[in-house]
Amino acid sequence: MLNTYSREQMIEQQVRAWDVLDERVLAVFRKVPREHFVPPQHRYLAFADLEVPLPQAQHMLRPSVAGRVLQALELEGSERVLEIGSGSGFLTACMASVSAYVESIEIHPELAALSAANLASLSIGNVRVVTADAMSLESQTRYGAIAVTGSLPVEDERFQRQLDIGGRLFVVVGEPPIMSARLIRRVGQNSWTTASLFETVIDPLVNARRPEAFSF
């Protein structure tokens, strides 16, 4: 009962309060047990609106940010989804519950194993966790939606080129203290639209391209 109350408080006071108004997204947060994906030593933080520490100096996205990701992607159940950065698997599980299939790429073997185990223990079968560096992969596969859960210091078009026409990409671009969360839609074979959603700060994607050093 305590988890049920705390979860509802998280949804109403943190997620909905941060303009996540899509009832389908809020229903996902009621369905997927966030506490299951939080390391045991931090489980008391499961419903707090903060970045819960994970192994390899990584963090779970805040519930409010995860909610904005789901809302932006507008998943309807038929999409093939690509996730860059599995973490502990919470957002993976959320996307799997409202899409056809999720392929999640995680560079840290420890986190890939953790997320795969968390997902398997809940019998979430429409997910594949792959241990790899997403920045070095060359793939011709296209997806209906892509979520990049680590920030890109500078713009990089590699992920938007993996979208189906009509597909949506959530990505955070920039460096501290201000990063811009963006939604990119592929509207044609060689055309995309970009909308700025909100400002935030999240962990950078490992091996993401950095700004060129300034020199005189």
Side-chain angles (χ1 to χ4, degrees):
M1 291 298 294
L2 180 59
N3 280 350
T4 300
Y5 174 78
S6 298
R7 181 177 294 106
E8 199 62 28
Q9 291 289 98
M10 175 192 74
I11 291 168
E12 294 299 326
Q13 298 182 9
Q14 301 168 24
V15 182
R16 188 191 294 274
W18 216 43
D19 292 330
V20 179
L21 306 178
D22 188 330
E23 291 296 335
R24 296 174 303 170
V25 173
L26 301 179
V28 169
F29 274 75
R30 292 186 176 98
K31 175 182 177 182
V32 179
R34 180 175 167 84
E35 67 276 15
H36 181 80
F37 296 88
V38 175
Q41 67 271 31
H42 299 303
R43 199 145 290 166
Y44 68 99
L45 299 174
F47 304 111
D49 197 38
L50 48 76
E51 295 184 329
V52 176
L54 295 174
Q56 302 297 326
Q58 299 300 297
H59 299 83
M60 294 179 68
L61 294 177
R62 291 186 290 124
S64 55
V65 173
R68 292 294 295 268
V69 175
L70 288 171
Q71 181 167 265
L73 292 178
E74 299 178 328
L75 298 174
E76 297 180 348
S78 61
E79 297 89 352
R80 180 183 177 89
V81 179
L82 175 65
E83 178 185 38
I84 308 300
S86 309
S88 63
F90 174 68
L91 183 60
T92 322
C94 290
M95 293 191 296
S97 72
V98 284
S99 67
Y101 181 80
V102 179
E103 182 168 347
S104 187
I105 299 177
E106 173 56 57
I107 193 171
H108 298 292
E110 181 180 2
L111 286 177
L114 174 64
S115 60
N118 285 339
L119 293 161
S121 66
L122 292 178
S123 299
I124 299 174
N126 60 329
V127 172
R128 176 172 175 248
V129 179
V130 179
T131 304
D133 179 2
M135 302 305 295
S136 66
L137 293 178
E138 296 292 338
S139 174
Q140 301 302 313
T141 304
R142 290 193 178 184
Y143 299 87
I146 301 175
V148 182
T149 66
S151 61
L152 301 177
V154 295
E155 293 185 22
D156 193 321
E157 296 182 350
R158 73 178 64 223
F159 298 119
Q160 68 189 55
R161 295 190 179 279
Q162 288 187 260
L163 289 172
D164 291 323
I165 294 176
R168 288 84 63 198
L169 163 67
F170 177 92
V171 64
V172 176
V173 179
E175 294 186 292
I178 296 176
M179 301 177 182
S180 173
R182 302 175 183 178
L183 179 68
I184 298 174
R185 294 178 184 269
R186 188 169 198 161
V187 295
Q189 187 61 34
N190 295 296
S191 55
W192 294 262
T193 63
T194 301
S196 294
L197 302 177
F198 56 92
E199 293 179 352
T200 188
V201 175
I202 62 174
D203 295 329
L205 199 66
V206 176
N207 295 332
R209 186 161 55 90
R210 302 281 175 170
E212 294 183 9
F214 179 80
S215 61
F216 292 97

